[in-house]
């Protein structure tokens, strides 16, 4: 029996035979019917490693070095096939569910599609555009985080970019838990593209991982010429295209009749006519945004319900970043007059959103906003932040994480948002003057993230201002701040006694010999999370002080210290019954045998000890 492909090819040969000789036609027909493919031109497969890292959402490393940064994904592998924790790999900022359990974690958005799993991403440019045949990711430690691989029609090296930028999914899957932390070459089966690409996006979800995932290199394989067989690929038929006519819905008056008392009774919507308005609203509220828009087109009644502004109190557009444009915001604008929480993270890049479209939407819908997520939104500019400060007077949460292309001057507008309670400025170019202005006016801050903000010159001054102006602060992230000293930390601990989370990871200027960590433990007795990552001076006295004063401690990271022994760790584990996470990786006095023993004694605590093969 002929396959579908063979039948299609047979028809093509029949058409060709009309202009050829009868002998050529018979020969071609026999070749198809005997199951043999005709000889096709051979296209050479190109193999290439990433040339450049274009964009990413987060990384474990510093902005001023190469250790654990996303830039390590450019070029050939540095580590593979070795397994373990290596500084030459790319590592994202978080893993597991620990960060979601913290008091600083934002509330999830309703209507997030179940198929959307991505938490982080990286975009890679390759030398030559090809029709992909394979994408290979070399994972060297705790693999399994990759949930989606996409390709873009834009050539990032082209001087004439297309007006229509398309993203297509090559492969997608739910997060998986890989049993072994060993290295692997991940090469999923990908779909064929109708366009060549040299821009690949890898999205990850690390929530099921037991530790940080590490990536070493990405390989793109493909052909310069479009594969012949892709021409025979049958188009997918959308069921929405199968309607018999394009006629509009019947006149709404047909659905009503007039009762004897003159009232109009709706008869055209079946059982929906008997349901209370609020109940239909509740049913509709469980739909995702695309389903809500599709349901709008079914009938007048459901159109009314689906366009009700109450359905758009919360709106997360992050899952649809690849398709969102000014036009999309324009369509939603009339429905979002009561909008309170908006997530535009990852959207608008490469010209998809403009100042005009964003400003128009914010002016129409920003009046009631209390939460605005703008992580990795590279379309943002100083006028955009000015619009936010003018149209969102009640804004309480603002996330500008990894908006690293915003000019430092733009951040001065944030000081006008005096009701802010949560501000995320991770990996931005905010400078000290703007930061001090924000702290002067935004005295209601509860959560502040200044991780990897390398443009701030003196963190001691910032810490002092926080101690004076933001005494209700509950979480502070100073990950990789360059110049915080024991003086600034002492003032912070004295002024912000309600702190529950403090991240001082990779703050190398802090020295345990000054007594700063012991002073911190005595003053911040509400601490639930403390990261002292890579501070080699942390010692037993610091750990014992935490055990004596911080019984609510849940997360502690002392990776890299040389002076902490198993005896102080045992005291800590006994004194802190709520402890869930303890990272002792690269602690010189804590070997694998001690970790195994402590895990047996305290099974409810995830004690982390990474390795290098």
């Amino acid at each position: 029996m002929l396959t579908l492909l063979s039948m299609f090819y047979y028809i093509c040969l029949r058409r060709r035979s009309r202009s050829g000789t009868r002998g050529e036609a018979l020969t071609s027909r026999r070749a198809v019917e005997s199951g043999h493919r005709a000889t096709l031109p051979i296209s050479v497969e190109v193999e290439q490693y990433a040339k450049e890292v274009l964009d990413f959402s987060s990384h474990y490393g510093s902005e001023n070095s190469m250790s654990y940064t996303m830039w390590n994904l450019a070029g050939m592998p540095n580590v593979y096939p070795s397994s373990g924790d290596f500084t030459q790999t790319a590592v994202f900022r978080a893993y597991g569910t620990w960060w979601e359990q913290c008091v600083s974690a934002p509330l999830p958005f309703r209507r997030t599609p179940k198929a959307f799993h991505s938490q982080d991403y990286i975009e890679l440019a390759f030398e030559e555009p090809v029709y992909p045949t394979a994408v290979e990711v070399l994972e060297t430690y705790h693999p399994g985080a990759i949930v989606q691989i996409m390709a873009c029609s834009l050539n990032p090296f082209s001087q004439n970019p297309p007006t229509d930028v398309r993203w297509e999914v090559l492969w997608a899957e739910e997060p998986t838990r890989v049993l072994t932390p060993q290295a692997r070459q991940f090469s999923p089966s990908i779909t064929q593209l109708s366009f060549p690409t040299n821009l690949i996006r890898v999205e990850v979800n690390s929530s099921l991982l037991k530790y940080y995932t590490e990536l070493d290199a990405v390989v793109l394989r493909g052909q310069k010429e479009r594969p012949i067989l892709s021409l025979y690929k049958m188009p997918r038929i959308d069921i929405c295209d199968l309607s018999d006519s394009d006629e509009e819905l019947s006149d709404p008056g047909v659905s009503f009749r007039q009762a004897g008392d003159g009232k109009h009774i709706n008869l055209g919507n079946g059982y929906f006519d008997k349901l209370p308005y609020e109940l239909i609203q509740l049913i509709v509220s469980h739909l995702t945004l695309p389903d809500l828009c599709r349901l709008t087109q079914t009938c007048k009644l459901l159109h009314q319900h689906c366009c009700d502004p109450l359905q758009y109190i919360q709106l997360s557009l992050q899952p649809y970043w690849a398709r969102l444009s000014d036009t999309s915001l324009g369509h939603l604008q009339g429905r979002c007059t009561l909008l309170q929480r908006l997530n535009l993270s990852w959207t608008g890049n490469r010209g998809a959103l403009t100042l005009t479209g964003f400003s128009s939407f914010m002016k129409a819908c920003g009046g009631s906003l209390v939460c605005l997520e703008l992580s990795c939104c590279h379309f943002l500019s100083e006028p955009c932040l000015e619009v936010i400060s003018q149209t969102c007077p009640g804004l309480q949460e603002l996330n500008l994480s990894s908006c690293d292309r915003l000019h430092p001057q733009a951040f001065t507008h944030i000081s006008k948002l005096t009701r802010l309670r949560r501000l995320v400025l991770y990996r931005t170019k905010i400078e000290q003057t703007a930061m001090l202005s924000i702290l002067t006016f935004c005295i209601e801050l509860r959560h502040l993230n200044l991780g990897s903000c390398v443009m701030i010159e003196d963190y001691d001054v910032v810490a002092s201002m926080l101690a004076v102006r933001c005494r209700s602060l509950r979480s502070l992230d100073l990950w990789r701040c360059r110049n915080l000293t024991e003086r600034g930390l002492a003032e912070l601990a004295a002024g912000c006694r309600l702190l529950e989370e403090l991240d001082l990871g990779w703050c190398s200027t802090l020295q345990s010999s000054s007594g700063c960590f012991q002073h911190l433990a005595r003053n911040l007795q509400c601490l639930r999370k403390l990261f002292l990552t890579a501070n080699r001076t942390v010692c037993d006295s610091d750990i014992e002080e935490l055990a004596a004063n911080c019984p609510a401690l849940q997360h502690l990271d002392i990776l890299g210290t040389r002076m902490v022994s198993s005896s102080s760790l045992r005291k800590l584990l006994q004194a802190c019954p709520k402890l869930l996470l303890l990272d002792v990786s690269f602690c010189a006095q804590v070997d694998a045998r001690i970790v195994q023993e402590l895990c047996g004694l305290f099974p409810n605590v995830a004690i982390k000890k990474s390795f290098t093969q």
Side-chain angles (χ1 to χ4, degrees):
M1 181 181 294
L2 294 176
T3 63
L4 181 61
L5 178 60
S6 299
M7 292 173 64
F8 182 77
Y9 192 42
Y10 175 61
I11 294 172
C12 294
L13 290 175
R14 284 289 301 272
R15 291 180 177 176
R16 179 185 175 188
S17 68
R18 294 173 185 171
S19 58
T21 64
R22 178 175 176 80
E24 290 173 344
L26 290 174
T27 302
S28 299
R29 177 176 177 179
R30 291 192 192 101
V32 173
E33 291 179 345
S34 62
H36 298 293
R37 291 181 180 175
T39 303
L40 300 177
I42 299 176
S43 180
V44 178
E45 186 176 69
V46 177
E47 175 186 300
Q48 48 187 331
Y49 291 94
K51 179 181 180 181
E52 185 179 339
V53 174
L54 299 179
D55 189 23
F56 55 89
S57 55
S58 76
H59 61 178
Y60 187 90
S62 166
E63 302 301 295
N64 300 319
S65 74
M66 291 296 290
S67 297
Y68 296 122
T69 64
M70 289 296 129
W71 298 301
N72 285 321
L73 273 182
M76 299 183 67
N78 301 307
V79 173
Y80 187 85
S82 297
S83 300
D85 192 341
F86 291 91
T87 60
Q88 303 96 320
T89 58
V91 185
F92 290 99
R93 179 68 183 87
Y95 72 94
T97 58
W98 314 111
W99 278 256
E100 298 171 6
Q101 299 170 1
C102 297
V103 294
S104 59
L107 294 173
F109 276 79
R110 291 188 302 148
R111 282 205 170 97
T112 300
K114 292 182 178 180
F116 181 74
H117 306 291
S118 304
Q119 296 175 335
D120 277 297
Y121 73 86
I122 182 168
E123 292 180 0
L124 302 165
F126 295 79
E127 181 70 35
E128 299 184 53
V130 295
Y131 292 91
T133 56
V135 176
E136 300 172 1
V137 184
L138 306 183
E139 302 173 274
T140 54
Y141 198 40
H142 288 277
I146 300 171
V147 293
Q148 186 159 265
I149 301 175
M150 304 182 72
C152 185
S153 61
L154 172 71
N155 182 345
F157 304 122
S158 173
Q159 300 298 321
N160 300 306
T163 55
D164 181 27
V165 177
R166 294 169 53 197
W167 283 94
E168 295 290 343
V169 176
L170 294 176
W171 172 88
E173 192 55 79
E174 295 182 2
T176 57
R177 187 191 300 276
V178 178
L179 299 180
T180 173
Q182 301 296 324
R184 73 170 184 178
Q185 178 178 299
F186 180 63
S187 182
S189 177
I190 63 174
T191 59
Q192 288 186 334
L193 290 181
S194 59
F195 56 83
T197 184
N198 61 339
L199 175 51
I200 296 294
R201 178 178 171 118
V202 178
E203 297 184 355
V204 304
N205 180 316
S206 303
S207 62
L208 297 183
L209 301 187
K210 294 183 178 181
Y211 206 58
Y212 297 98
T213 188
E214 299 190 8
L215 311 179
D216 192 20
V218 176
V219 183
L220 173 62
R221 299 181 188 275
Q223 300 175 355
K224 293 184 179 181
E225 302 296 330
R226 187 173 182 180
I228 297 297
L229 292 179
S230 67
L231 298 174
Y232 303 145
K233 190 174 180 180
M234 296 296 290
R236 283 181 283 185
I237 300 175
D238 190 338
I239 194 169
C240 298
D241 296 333
L242 301 181
S243 57
D244 294 329
S245 67
D246 296 327
E247 294 180 3
E248 296 291 331
L249 295 171
S250 58
D251 181 59
V254 177
S255 300
F256 295 85
R257 69 173 174 82
Q258 191 171 22
D261 56 2
K263 296 182 179 180
H264 287 79
I265 303 176
N266 191 345
L267 297 176
N269 299 302
Y271 287 106
F272 278 103
D273 293 329
K274 300 180 180 180
L275 295 178
Y277 189 92
E278 295 79 4
L279 183 56
I280 301 178
Q281 283 283 288
L282 178 61
I283 295 172
V284 171
S285 69
H286 292 281
L287 297 176
T288 63
L289 183 62
D291 290 338
L292 196 66
C293 294
R294 294 185 189 104
L295 191 61
T296 304
Q297 305 172 36
T298 56
C299 68
K300 298 293 182 179
L301 175 68
L302 293 179
H303 182 277
Q304 178 185 0
H305 281 282
C306 294
C307 293
D308 193 315
L310 290 174
Q311 293 292 332
Y312 300 87
I313 300 293
Q314 296 187 35
L315 183 62
S316 178
L317 297 174
Q318 181 181 6
Y320 318 107
W321 63 266
R323 304 194 300 271
L324 193 71
S325 63
D326 284 348
T327 304
S328 311
L329 287 184
H331 287 315
L332 291 169
Q333 190 167 299
R335 311 177 188 184
C336 298
T337 53
L338 301 179
L339 186 63
Q340 295 180 11
R341 302 185 71 227
L342 174 63
N343 184 3
L344 286 174
S345 294
W346 302 3
T347 64
N349 298 336
R350 298 184 175 88
L353 289 182
T354 65
L355 171 62
T356 302
F358 177 76
S359 300
S360 175
F361 185 83
M362 295 304 296
K363 290 175 181 178
C365 310
S368 302
L369 270 183
V370 295
C371 174
L372 181 57
E373 301 280 338
L374 294 171
S375 173
C376 306
C377 289
H378 301 311
F379 72 88
L380 289 176
S381 59
E382 182 177 350
C384 290
L385 290 195
E386 185 177 9
V387 168
I388 293 171
S389 67
Q390 294 172 347
T391 59
C392 308
L395 197 65
Q396 297 179 14
E397 300 181 43
L398 177 61
N399 183 359
L400 296 174
S401 172
S402 289
C403 293
D404 55 342
R405 301 172 197 177
L406 264 174
H407 191 274
Q409 184 65 27
F411 296 96
T412 57
H413 296 285
I414 298 177
S415 62
K416 303 170 188 175
L417 302 170
T418 56
R419 298 185 184 180
L420 273 182
R421 289 172 172 254
R422 174 175 166 263
L423 178 60
V424 181
L425 297 174
Y426 167 73
R427 287 191 67 238
T428 61
K429 294 179 179 176
I430 187 169
E431 294 179 343
Q432 186 165 310
T433 302
M435 192 66 244
L436 295 179
S437 176
I438 292 171
L439 297 181
T440 300
F441 295 100
C442 302
I443 60 175
E444 297 182 24
L445 274 176
R446 300 292 188 273
H447 309 286
L448 178 61
N449 188 332
L450 296 176
S452 292
C453 291
V454 298
M455 304 287 284
I456 295 178
E457 299 156 359
D458 191 344
Y459 272 94
D460 280 351
V461 175
V462 173
S464 299
M465 181 67 81
L466 279 168
V468 173
R469 303 293 295 175
C470 303
R471 291 182 172 271
S472 299
L473 198 67
R474 296 181 63 194
S475 73
L476 177 62
D477 191 331
L478 297 177
W479 176 263
R480 292 188 181 273
C481 72
R482 296 184 301 170
N483 45 35
L484 180 69
T485 68
E486 55 271 11
R487 180 177 63 85
L489 186 59
E491 292 188 37
L492 180 69
C496 301
R497 290 178 173 267
L498 297 180
L499 269 176
E500 297 181 39
E501 298 176 24
L502 182 58
D503 194 332
L504 300 173
W506 297 86
C507 296
S508 56
T509 51
L510 294 172
Q511 297 294 315
S512 173
S513 58
S514 67
C516 61
F517 298 135
Q518 296 178 43
H519 181 265
L520 180 149
R522 287 192 289 268
N523 281 271
L524 303 181
Q525 299 187 7
C526 297
L527 269 182
R528 295 167 58 184
K529 172 186 174 181
L530 177 62
F531 274 32
L532 301 175
T533 316
N535 192 308
R536 299 182 183 278
T537 69
V538 176
C539 61
D540 282 341
S541 300
D542 302 321
I543 302 300
E544 291 171 2
E545 204 68 43
L546 287 170
N549 295 284
C550 304
L553 196 63
Q554 295 181 359
H555 305 151
L556 177 63
D557 187 341
I558 55 172
L559 175 149
T561 182
R562 301 170 178 172
M563 306 171 66
V564 171
S565 65
S566 60
S567 59
S568 64
L569 290 178
R570 191 186 297 268
K571 291 179 182 178
L572 178 79
L573 289 163
Q574 291 171 342
C576 301
K578 297 182 180 180
L579 197 65
L580 299 173
L581 173 66
L582 176 61
D583 196 333
V584 293
S585 299
F586 301 107
C587 290
Q589 298 187 43
V590 185
D591 57 24
R593 180 187 58 81
I594 293 175
V595 170
Q596 187 175 6
E597 179 185 339
L598 292 176
C599 287
L601 293 173
F602 304 95
N604 295 327
V605 184
I607 303 178
K608 305 299 180 181
K609 178 73 172 177
S610 64
F611 72 90
T612 300
Q613 189 181 69

